[in-house]
Every structure is written in structure tokens, then in C-alpha cells.
Amino acid sequence: MDWKIELIFVPVTDVDRAKEFYIEKLGFNADHDTTVHEGLRFVQLTPPGSACSIAIGKGLGSMVEPGTLDVIQVVIPDADAALAELRAKGVEAEGVDEQEWGRFVTLKDPDGNRWTLQQLPDYAAGASPS
């Protein structure tokens, strides 16, 4: 049986500000933006090339406070290029952190939720997947 992660909730204080950040600064696709009823708004956004989306909104029932999420990690092809692109778009991102298991760039959304971007080692070139 396959298990595929479909959606991760990201808690935000201002849905429109967050939506603009994820679309304009990070290049996410806007899949859905639906106000089901007063107090319940569901916005689904998908990173380019990803099979997993994020959801932001109001009334979605999460107990996670905005700005406290720090566990999302995504794989990118080139940490240097990602850092340059983010900074060119005005995103405050930490420089490339070199580790044996990859090269990492971190950033925060407008609420302070932290994202980690990882360039995987080139295992074909002999890097150890330890």
C-alpha cells in the first residue's frame, strides 16, 4: 500500500498576506481559495514540482500556533541558486549551511514559520548516503 503525503497545514495570522508571500515570493501555485462559510476559509497552495501541498486559512481546526511550525523540509536541486532567487525576491533567507548529508537554506514566512530547503548530496558522484 502506497502512502502519499497530500497536504500540510501551515498556521498563519493573515491569510491574504501569507497567500501573497507563498505565491509571489516562493512561486507556489494557488490551487484553491474557498470560503466555505463565515469563519471557514481554505486555501491550498502547491510548491513547484511538488506532489504535496500546503493549506492555510481560517477555522481549519489546527492547534498549532502561527509562527511555531519549523518542521517542513523540501528538496531543491541547487541551494546556491535557491538562496540567490529568494534574496532577489526580498525573502530573508539564511546562507547555505554545508553538511555531509546536504546543503541547507532556511527561511521564514511572514508569521515566522520556518522552512528548510535541502540540496541532497550527489550520491552518484560517490557521496555516502549515511
Side-chain angles (χ1 to χ4, degrees):
M1 170 175 29
D2 288 344
W3 290 32
K4 298 177 182 175
I5 296 175
E6 175 76 17
L7 192 66
I8 296 172
F9 177 71
V10 177
V12 300
T13 56
D14 182 324
V15 178
D16 291 319
R17 177 184 71 175
K19 180 181 175 184
E20 180 180 357
F21 174 82
Y22 284 107
I23 293 170
E24 299 300 323
K25 302 290 186 180
L26 301 187
F28 284 27
N29 184 60
D31 302 324
H32 304 286
D33 186 343
T34 305
T35 299
V36 179
H37 56 73
E38 187 176 336
L40 180 58
R41 179 178 175 193
F42 175 81
V43 179
Q44 181 175 318
L45 307 165
T46 304
S50 180
C52 182
S53 302
I54 66 167
I56 59 175
K58 289 185 176 184
L60 299 180
S62 175
M63 296 178 67
V64 178
E65 291 295 321
T68 63
L69 190 66
D70 65 354
V71 295
I72 298 178
Q73 183 166 309
V74 297
V75 173
I76 54 171
D78 184 326
D80 297 307
L83 180 62
E85 182 178 328
L86 289 167
R87 288 185 173 165
K89 291 181 176 182
V91 176
E92 292 183 28
E94 295 178 24
V96 178
D97 178 17
E98 303 276 349
Q99 299 293 330
E100 182 178 328
W101 51 90
R103 304 177 74 233
F104 299 86
V105 173
T106 58
L107 65 102
K108 292 183 179 179
D109 74 6
D111 282 290
N113 297 303
R114 187 170 59 91
W115 288 71
T116 301
L117 313 180
Q118 178 186 18
Q119 175 186 336
L120 296 171
D122 185 359
Y123 296 119
S128 173
S130 39

